Amino acid sequence: MIVQMKPHATKAQFEHITQFLIKKGFEIKDVSSANIMVFGIIGDTKSLNPTDLEAFEGVFQVTRVSTPYKLASRSFKKTDTIIKVRHNIEIGGDQFVVMAGPCSVESYENTFEIAKAVKASGATILRGGAYKPRTSPYAFQGMGVDGLKILREVADQFDLAVVSEIMSEDMIETFEPYVDIYQIGARNMQNFHLLKQLGARTKKPILLKRGLSATIEEWLMSAEYIMASGNDQVILCERGIRTFEKYTRNTLDISAVLAVKELSHLPVIIDPSHAAGKYSMIERLSMASYAVGSDGIIVEVHPDPEHALSDGAQSLKLEKFDHMMAALRNMSAVLDKKV
Ligand code: PEP
Ligand code: MN
């Protein structure tokens, strides 16, 4: 439920109604701007009657949010959320943010070579999995904490931020010193315990991938879990969904970006690598992602994809990544965001 105060409502009137609601057990989310006081009522608001609340002095309008997600919804917060990462990166603002790196961290040397190249080509965030959710238990499972240390050490040398996937809440304290963004993988999008624990235990941004067969509403409900637990720094990531089509690894739902922009204020990026599963499609899909208005992309890159420990078929060689970045920059004259 959203409560909008009158233009000349006083701070005391605001306090009066919010304290009344807090005493009833609701949580208040203040989203006031410079000229208008507005707040959301968080909790099971079925018992509240909007007309009763409109009787409070200073209240202009009380509206129910019709979507099951509230904190994540555009009706709750009209302006786009801009998420700051470290000192120099903003996701959801006027920058088209490029995250790049290997599927898995393989070694210090390999990570160094990739980071150096992607930085020179214009990426600002280094990706890399240290804990890998593999379909087979016999496939490479990741380097673990050593992988996180490598990511941090290498990223710092090139002033890159780090994003890496966390699979279990047991690992939050381990991850905290090494990552700038926590990634929740597609397979964990509905791991509600992980969502709640991360929401409550870190203030760092969380990149929430869309589940393999999740609807947009389910995806936004997962964002809501994180936000309701105390962290509103959520970045959504469309990474392809499973359809009947087998030629590509998944089907990139490019219109999901537009849907999310209508339904939510949260930033949304695209992962063309896991969507297509084929390196030959990545440049064009990245261009499409930029053109459709996403806030960035996350792309897998490897100097020697044939020998990559995971996802080589969809990884761009360093020079192909550089070519893709040039193609994106060529588009920037006609788009709002800059690469
Ligand atoms: C990954 O980014 O390497 C990954 C496993 O992605 P997803 O969760 O989208 O499959
Ligand atoms: Mn991968």
Side-chain angles (χ1 to χ4, degrees), residues 103 132 274 300 311 314:
C103 175
K132 298 301 301 177
H274 292 87
E300 287 184 343
D311 286 350
Q314 67 198 30

Side-chain angles (χ1 to χ4, degrees), residues 20-216:
F20 167 81
L21 290 161
I22 288 166
K23 276 196 199 104
K24 277 184 165 294
F26 294 103
E27 213 182 296
I28 300 302
K29 181 85 179 168
D30 187 355
V31 284
S32 301
S33 60
N35 29 10
I36 194 92
M37 285 191 272
V38 183
F39 66 88
I41 310 170
I42 312 303
D44 188 0
T45 54
K46 278 198 285 295
S47 62
L48 290 176
N49 184 347
T51 335
D52 293 346
L53 295 179
E54 278 167 359
F56 278 70
E57 270 184 69
V59 171
F60 172 62
Q61 202 176 39
V62 182
T63 31
R64 274 196 197 281
V65 179
S66 53
T67 52
Y69 47 88
K70 300 186 187 338
L71 298 170
S73 84
R74 180 70 84 179
S75 52
F76 181 66
K77 180 171 177 278
K78 299 272 179 289
T79 55
D80 289 342
T81 288
I82 299 176
I83 294 182
K84 284 201 168 54
V85 184
R86 282 158 70 86
H87 59 100
N88 56 342
I89 305 164
E90 284 189 349
I91 305 177
D94 51 19
Q95 196 72 25
F96 182 75
V97 175
V98 179
M99 312 181 185
C103 175
S104 305
V105 181
E106 299 181 4
S107 69
Y108 182 89
E109 293 71 25
N110 180 267
T111 312
F112 186 92
E113 184 181 356
I114 296 170
K116 186 172 182 208
V118 299
K119 168 77 182 192
S121 301
T124 52
I125 302 178
L126 180 64
R127 66 144 287 147
Y131 296 85
K132 298 301 301 177
R134 304 303 300 279
T135 304
S136 164
Y138 308 117
F140 177 58
Q141 303 286 307
M143 287 184 74
V145 69
D146 290 340
L148 294 177
K149 288 181 184 162
I150 290 173
L151 278 172
R152 181 77 274 156
E153 205 178 313
V154 168
D156 284 347
Q157 294 183 59
F158 298 104
D159 195 22
L160 291 162
V162 167
V163 58
S164 195
E165 176 171 355
I166 184 162
M167 295 202 293
S168 159
E169 59 281 3
D170 301 344
M171 299 304 294
I172 298 175
E173 282 70 31
T174 306
F175 267 62
E176 191 69 19
Y178 301 116
V179 300
D180 299 297
I181 304 175
Y182 285 84
Q183 177 176 327
I184 296 181
R187 289 155 195 82
N188 268 317
M189 188 205 84
Q190 285 190 319
N191 180 342
F192 299 117
H193 188 64
L194 176 62
L195 302 176
K196 284 198 273 190
Q197 289 296 313
L198 261 185
R201 286 163 57 190
T202 185
K203 291 283 164 245
K204 290 186 178 174
I206 297 170
L207 180 71
L208 178 64
K209 291 217 174 179
R210 182 178 180 183
L212 274 70
S213 61
T215 63
I216 290 168

Side-chain angles (χ1 to χ4, degrees), residues 291-324:
V292 82
S294 81
D295 295 296
I297 45 174
I298 179 164
V299 177
E300 287 184 343
V301 175
H302 199 283
D304 182 13
E306 285 175 25
H307 295 102
L309 295 183
S310 56
D311 286 350
Q314 67 198 30
S315 298
L316 286 181
K317 284 189 176 158
L318 308 181
E319 55 278 12
K320 286 204 162 59
F321 179 76
D322 192 58
H323 189 276
M324 180 199 84

